[in-house]
Amino acid sequence: MIHDDIGNRLNILSLWLNNLDTQGDELIKNNIYNQMSSLIDAARSISHSLYPVNLESVGLVLYVEELITNLAHKINISLQVMPGYEKKDLFVEVQLYRIIQEFTTNVIRHSTATDLWIYLKDYPENMAVVISDNGQGFNYEEVKKGMGIKNIESRIKSMNATHKWKKTFLHTGSRLIIKIPKYHEFPNQNSPD
């Protein structure tokens, strides 16, 4: 994908810049580095906002399994889908995929986690999604204004869902619990991406 290529090239340039051993102006170096970081984030945002091709025909579970395969060299991800899970409305599946993708990206970029778990279960009144990792965790108050958290919470809100951020056992890792109502109209459903 062209946006991924842009992001990869900017990452490489950023690494080269970081390894420069110059006598030059440190302020200029910092400005260039900050601009490149912004460009990397922008490219990532564009890539994440694109409609996931074939999700409608393939479904959320297979799409997440493909994501797991693509990230296997970076982190161990397991997906547990409880018996009785049913395919969801396309709008919900796109939002859930993007949430899982954003959570996973944040864990890989900002955490020391080696493992990440995704759990999907249908209940009579709602669907539960739990995503957790074994990294160092984070302080919600310090990161809540970041784009990653904002994107996740905006997508949760668009599904009229509820959520909780929790620290996992022994204060390591993080856990996101989402409950999505089963029978509900989605007011913000103008576009699935």
Side-chain angles (χ1 to χ4, degrees):
M1 206 178 263
I2 190 166
H3 303 92
D4 293 334
D5 183 52
I6 291 168
N8 288 336
R9 288 178 187 206
L10 288 170
N11 269 324
I12 290 167
L13 286 171
S14 179
L15 289 171
W16 285 346
L17 179 64
N18 234 12
N19 290 328
L20 281 177
D21 187 18
T22 67
Q23 304 289 322
D25 187 348
E26 198 63 30
L27 181 62
I28 291 172
K29 183 178 172 184
N30 285 338
N31 285 338
I32 294 170
Y33 181 79
N34 289 337
Q35 287 295 320
M36 291 179 71
S37 292
S38 295
L39 286 167
I40 291 166
D41 289 341
R44 186 173 133 245
S45 179
I46 291 168
S47 180
H48 280 202
S49 68
L50 293 173
Y51 183 78
V53 181
N54 296 329
L55 191 138
E56 185 171 11
S57 57
V58 173
L60 175 67
V61 173
L62 286 177
Y63 229 76
V64 171
E65 286 175 352
E66 182 181 354
L67 177 70
I68 290 169
T69 301
N70 291 338
L71 296 175
H73 65 288
K74 293 184 178 181
I75 191 167
N76 298 317
I77 306 176
S78 64
L79 171 65
Q80 185 175 11
V81 182
M82 300 308 288
Y85 174 80
E86 296 176 3
K87 188 170 171 23
K88 301 295 176 273
D89 174 88
L90 177 62
F91 178 77
V92 171
E93 290 207 341
V94 168
Q95 299 314 310
L96 287 175
Y97 178 74
R98 293 301 188 205
I99 289 167
I100 291 167
Q101 187 180 41
E102 186 73 45
F103 189 102
T104 304
T105 300
N106 287 343
V107 167
I108 290 169
R109 287 181 90 197
H110 305 295
S111 167
T112 57
T114 56
D115 296 285
L116 190 138
W117 302 272
I118 304 163
Y119 170 89
L120 306 175
K121 181 169 174 129
D122 277 329
Y123 292 97
E125 295 299 316
N126 60 42
M127 172 194 179
V129 179
V130 180
I131 316 168
S132 55
D133 68 78
N134 68 344
Q136 80 269 22
F138 64 91
N139 181 330
Y140 177 78
E141 290 303 315
E142 290 175 8
V143 301
K144 70 180 179 183
K145 293 182 179 172
M147 284 307 295
I149 299 293
K150 282 184 178 175
N151 287 340
I152 288 171
E153 292 183 342
S154 170
R155 290 182 186 281
I156 291 169
K157 186 177 180 183
S158 75
M159 296 183 290
N160 291 329
T162 59
H163 74 285
K164 285 183 190 171
W165 292 98
K166 288 189 163 185
K167 292 232 178 186
T168 55
F169 184 65
L170 294 178
H171 304 292
T172 61
S174 53
R175 177 176 294 148
L176 173 60
I177 302 166
I178 306 169
K179 290 191 178 173
I180 304 153
K182 263 197 182 170
Y183 309 105
H184 220 285
E185 290 296 315
F186 302 107
N188 303 323
Q189 171 172 3
N190 299 338
S191 127
D193 60 358

